[in-house]
Amino acid sequence: MSSPKSRQSNSPTSRSPPSRQSPAALAQVAEGQEPGATIEVDNDSDSSYSLSTRVTDTESLRSSILSHKWENGRRYHSYQDGSYWAPNDDRQQEAEDLMHEVYRILLNDQLYEAPIGENPQRVLDLGCGTGIWAIEFADLHPSADVLGVDLSPIQPGFVPPNCRFEVDDINQEWTYPDDHFDFVHIRAMMGCIPDWDELYEKAFKHTQPGGWVESVELWGASKCDDDTLKPTSPLYTWIEIFKKIGNLTGKPFFWDTKMGESITKAGFINLKGRRIKVPIGTWPKDKTLKQWGAWNRQFLLQGLEGFSIRGLTEMLGASVYST
């Protein structure tokens, strides 16, 4: 089983990191096109994508599942309300997609590391969020039937024909057949899972013999090599707050030190794991680390309020003031 805890790249990618002052730097021009150039029309119109927009049985969900609720000016999922602590509005979706880019950069522009072969058949993406990983994987592997599962129905309707999404709570009983998937992808689920042993046991039960599970998590407990992160630092305070929130919800944010033990306990073999440092900001001298830090900082600036506001207000009693 492949279960790297974090990722690293052997060489810098070609992406340019966004600057703190200019989020617009994230915009990219399509390869081979100059700004302002005329875009050539595709006469084929990609009929396979058109077919994928038709309504299917799995999309016929109750209005209560598809609805949302608002708190403190942010939008949240209503299905299993409170099970997930972050909003699902456009601002937070942009943060999730930024984090997806961070993961890709750390993976040397790859979506995964597990040696799944050229023709995977059945793939499960747990906590798929905006669906960006599932969509890109489906494009990359036309042979695969890719299923993304999340509490929020925020995924686009225009997707590859071999990609679909369902609203479900992965902490409940899974209804998939045993030995069904040949690849299960788990990413960025810290603070969402009450029992990681149980999650990996479910993944083991529903992964076919010879299949792979890849679990990737961003460790939230920031540190400094020179011990300059003091208890008086706002970042240190934020970490301590999230420890309290995790204790209150029963879904820890700082659990990953036990990841390998839990995966092995579930029955997986061929375990590989690694941990790397990802800086916040552009302070490293190394150009690759500087690039990682720029993307990571942009992700945090975009998502920090959304990560924090519900836990601070509902669980810790803080107030929100607008200016």
Side-chain angles (χ1 to χ4, degrees), residues 225-238:
D225 290 337
D226 58 1
D227 294 323
T228 54
L229 183 63
K230 303 300 182 182
T232 54
S233 164
L235 182 57
Y236 185 95
T237 301
W238 185 73

Side-chain angles (χ1 to χ4, degrees), residues 9 13-15 101 103-111:
S9 168
T13 72
S14 59
R15 286 187 177 86
E101 291 303 315
Y103 281 122
R104 286 205 64 150
I105 289 171
L106 299 181
L107 272 175
N108 199 20
D109 207 29
Q110 302 300 311
L111 289 173

Side-chain angles (χ1 to χ4, degrees), residues 83-85 188-194 196 217 246 249 251-254:
S83 296
Y84 182 54
W85 37 270
M189 298 300 291
M190 289 296 176
C192 305
I193 307 299
W196 282 86
E217 295 298 331
T249 62
K251 299 175 181 178
F253 287 89
F254 308 104

